[in-house]
């Protein structure tokens, strides 16, 4: 079981095993908002990955009545990782059968291919933060806010009592049915009921001390979620493509020659990390400068610019629309007219 993350009254223990509360230390019985920070996200990711390889397949194979769609989607990481590893292996395992010169050339391509697969996954995931973070700072809406969902499962034997498992979702996972209830303050902690909505209303220039800030802001929050999700879906693939292009630059060959994962050999491993940093910087410069002439020379600039522009425009479109002042009543209802104008 992974160490717990405490948030005052409630303690979240990152385990989806479902025996009983006392054994697994579940000290809460309701859905709980979790802090959106690297530590919590890492623990959630590790817990989901572990369960995807162990607990969830076991439940599915034995035909458990508690296996659900969330577990099915979580197990999607398994073929993704296995497929990525297979793709890396295809371009490297056959090298030993080549002639010496061909083996060297094939190894260079294979290693860059493996690095490209790695950079693709990293950039596709990390680039989403290029939109969600600025949107959060400018509007107060955290589009990636996680929460722990408590699932009360059906008993599978006569000895099962109070079976509980944990799923990890995002508050705005569903645009039509967000978990608005989790954003309200807890009076037992001295929090105002609408303090989160008040913060959002203030950042969206809707005013302060609103009587019903939750009702006033919900429509705008939905608009923010829709626009930011659209922006992420476009920019993440452009940044992933940029990562692949970066991986195929020539300076990486210097790192491959010195590459080692034997961290216990501190001097050798430290030198490898230094070369890694230098290779990254030089590769980024080479990607930007380009080679040859014409479009090929500027391909790196175009790809990098398109990726950066997609993120910037995505943030601007999301924030500008959310902060746009709504039409006043005088603009909507004309006292001398018999109809409503838009």
């Amino acid at each position: 079981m992974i160490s717990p993350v405490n948030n005052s009254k409630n303690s979240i223990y990152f385990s989806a095993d479902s025996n009983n509360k006392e054994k697994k230390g579940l000290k809460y019985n309701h859905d709980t908002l979790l802090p959106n920070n690297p530590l919590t996200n890492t623990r959630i990711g590790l817990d989901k990955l572990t369960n995807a390889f162990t607990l969830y397949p076991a439940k599915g194979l034995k035909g458990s009545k508690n296996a659900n769609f969330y577990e099915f989607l979580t197990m999607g990481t398994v073929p993704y990782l296995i497929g990525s590893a297979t793709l890396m292996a295809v371009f490297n395992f056959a090298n030993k059968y080549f002639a010496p010169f061909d083996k060297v050339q094939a190894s260079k391509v294979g290693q860059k291919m493996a690095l490209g697969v790695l950079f693709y996954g990293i950039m596709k995931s990390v680039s989403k933060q290029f939109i969600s973070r600025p949107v959060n700072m400018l509007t107060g809406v955290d589009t990636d806010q996680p929460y722990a969902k408590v699932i009360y499962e059906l008993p599978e034997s006569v000895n099962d009592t109070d079976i509980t498992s944990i799923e990890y979702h995002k508050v705005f996972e569903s645009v039509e049915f967000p978990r608005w209830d989790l954003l309200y303050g807890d009076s037992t902690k001295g929090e105002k009921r609408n303090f989160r909505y008040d913060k959002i209303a203030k950042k969206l220039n809707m005013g302060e001390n609103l009587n019903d800030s939750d009702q006033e802001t919900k429509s705008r929050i939905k608009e923010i979620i829709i626009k930011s999700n659209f922006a992420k879906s476009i920019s993440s693939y452009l940044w992933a493509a940029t990562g692949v292009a970066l991986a195929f630059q020539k300076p990486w060959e210097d790192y491959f020659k010195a590459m080692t994962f034997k961290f216990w050999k501190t001097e050798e491993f430290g030198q490898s990390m230094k070369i890694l940093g230098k290779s990254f910087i030089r590769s980024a410069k080479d990607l930007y400068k380009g080679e040859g002439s014409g479009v090929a020379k500027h391909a790196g600039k175009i790809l990098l610019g398109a990726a950066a522009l997609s993120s910037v425009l995505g943030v601007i479109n999301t924030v500008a629309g959310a902060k746009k002042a709504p039409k006043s009543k005088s603009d909507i209802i004309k006292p001398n007219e018999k109809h409503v104008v838009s």
Side-chain angles (χ1 to χ4, degrees):
M1 181 174 68
I2 302 176
S3 301
V5 172
N6 297 325
N7 59 338
S8 68
K9 182 179 179 181
N10 301 314
S11 298
I12 309 298
Y13 284 77
F14 292 78
S15 175
D17 195 359
S18 53
N19 289 330
N20 56 66
K21 290 185 179 181
E22 292 183 359
K23 181 178 179 181
K24 293 302 175 183
L26 297 177
K27 298 182 180 180
Y28 65 101
N29 56 4
H30 57 84
D31 298 351
T32 306
L33 205 65
L34 300 177
N36 186 7
N37 56 46
L39 177 60
T40 301
N41 291 330
T42 299
R43 288 179 171 177
I44 290 175
L46 289 174
D47 189 67
K48 292 176 69 174
L49 182 63
T50 302
N51 290 326
F53 276 93
T54 56
L55 180 62
Y56 297 160
K59 289 176 68 175
L61 289 171
K62 74 177 183 179
S64 171
K65 64 181 74 174
N66 291 308
N68 57 32
F69 191 58
Y70 167 83
E71 296 176 0
F72 169 75
L73 291 179
T74 302
M75 286 190 293
T77 57
V78 176
Y80 180 84
L81 293 175
I82 293 177
S84 298
T86 302
L87 185 61
M88 294 179 186
V90 164
F91 289 91
N92 288 280
F93 283 180
N95 293 347
K96 61 183 179 180
Y97 299 107
F98 298 157
F101 178 78
D102 294 334
K103 180 179 179 180
V104 172
Q105 299 305 313
S107 296
K108 292 179 181 179
V109 176
Q111 289 168 335
K112 290 179 180 178
M113 178 64 72
L115 190 62
V117 172
L118 181 63
F119 279 7
Y120 177 91
I122 292 175
M123 293 303 296
K124 190 173 183 294
S125 177
V126 172
S127 61
K128 294 179 180 179
Q129 300 298 314
F130 298 163
I131 292 176
S132 59
R133 292 296 180 182
V135 167
N136 185 19
M137 289 188 294
L138 295 172
T139 67
V141 179
D142 188 351
T143 59
D144 295 324
Q145 180 69 61
Y147 74 95
K149 182 178 179 65
V150 181
I151 303 296
Y152 294 96
E153 299 186 340
L154 298 171
E156 297 188 16
S157 70
V158 294
N159 296 321
D160 289 338
T161 59
D162 199 16
I163 311 173
T164 309
S165 66
I166 305 300
E167 295 179 1
Y168 303 105
H169 296 272
K170 294 182 180 180
V171 172
F172 301 110
E173 197 169 72
S174 170
V175 177
E176 291 300 323
F177 303 101
R179 290 299 305 271
W180 301 118
D181 57 304
L182 295 177
L183 297 181
Y184 289 109
D186 187 349
S187 59
T188 61
K189 300 178 183 178
E191 298 173 345
K192 292 184 178 180
R193 176 175 170 78
N194 285 349
F195 82 96
R196 291 189 179 91
Y197 293 104
D198 290 339
K199 177 183 176 182
I200 294 172
K202 182 179 179 181
K203 289 201 171 189
L204 295 181
N205 300 325
M206 298 177 69
E208 300 182 43
N209 302 319
L210 301 177
N211 292 330
D212 298 299
S213 59
D214 55 338
Q215 301 303 319
E216 295 283 349
T217 58
K218 283 180 179 179
S219 61
R220 294 206 192 182
I221 293 175
K222 281 189 175 184
E223 181 182 343
I224 290 171
I225 301 304
I226 293 171
K227 288 184 175 180
S228 64
N229 286 345
F230 176 74
K232 288 176 187 178
S233 64
I234 294 177
S235 66
S236 62
Y237 283 103
L238 288 172
W239 280 111
T242 304
V244 174
L246 178 66
F248 274 84
Q249 301 305 306
K250 188 175 179 61
W252 286 113
E253 295 175 10
D254 294 335
Y255 170 67
F256 295 143
K257 293 176 182 177
M259 180 175 60
T260 180
F261 298 107
K262 299 177 180 179
F263 57 87
W264 56 89
K265 296 183 178 180
T266 55
E267 185 175 351
E268 185 178 341
F269 183 74
Q271 182 64 21
S272 174
M273 289 297 98
K274 288 181 181 179
I275 297 176
L276 172 64
K278 293 179 180 179
S279 297
F280 178 85
I281 295 173
R282 289 171 54 202
S283 294
K285 290 180 178 178
D286 284 2
L287 175 63
Y288 184 79
K289 292 178 180 178
E291 295 180 354
S293 60
V295 178
K297 181 175 178 59
H298 302 287
K301 295 186 183 71
I302 294 172
L303 182 58
L304 182 60
L309 189 62
S310 67
S311 294
V312 173
L313 291 180
V315 172
I316 292 175
N317 180 57
T318 302
V319 175
K323 290 192 174 185
K324 184 178 179 181
K327 294 180 179 180
S328 64
K329 292 182 179 180
S330 60
D331 293 331
I332 299 173
I333 301 176
K334 301 295 183 181
N336 296 328
E337 300 289 343
K338 296 182 179 181
H339 61 277
V340 177
V341 296
S342 58

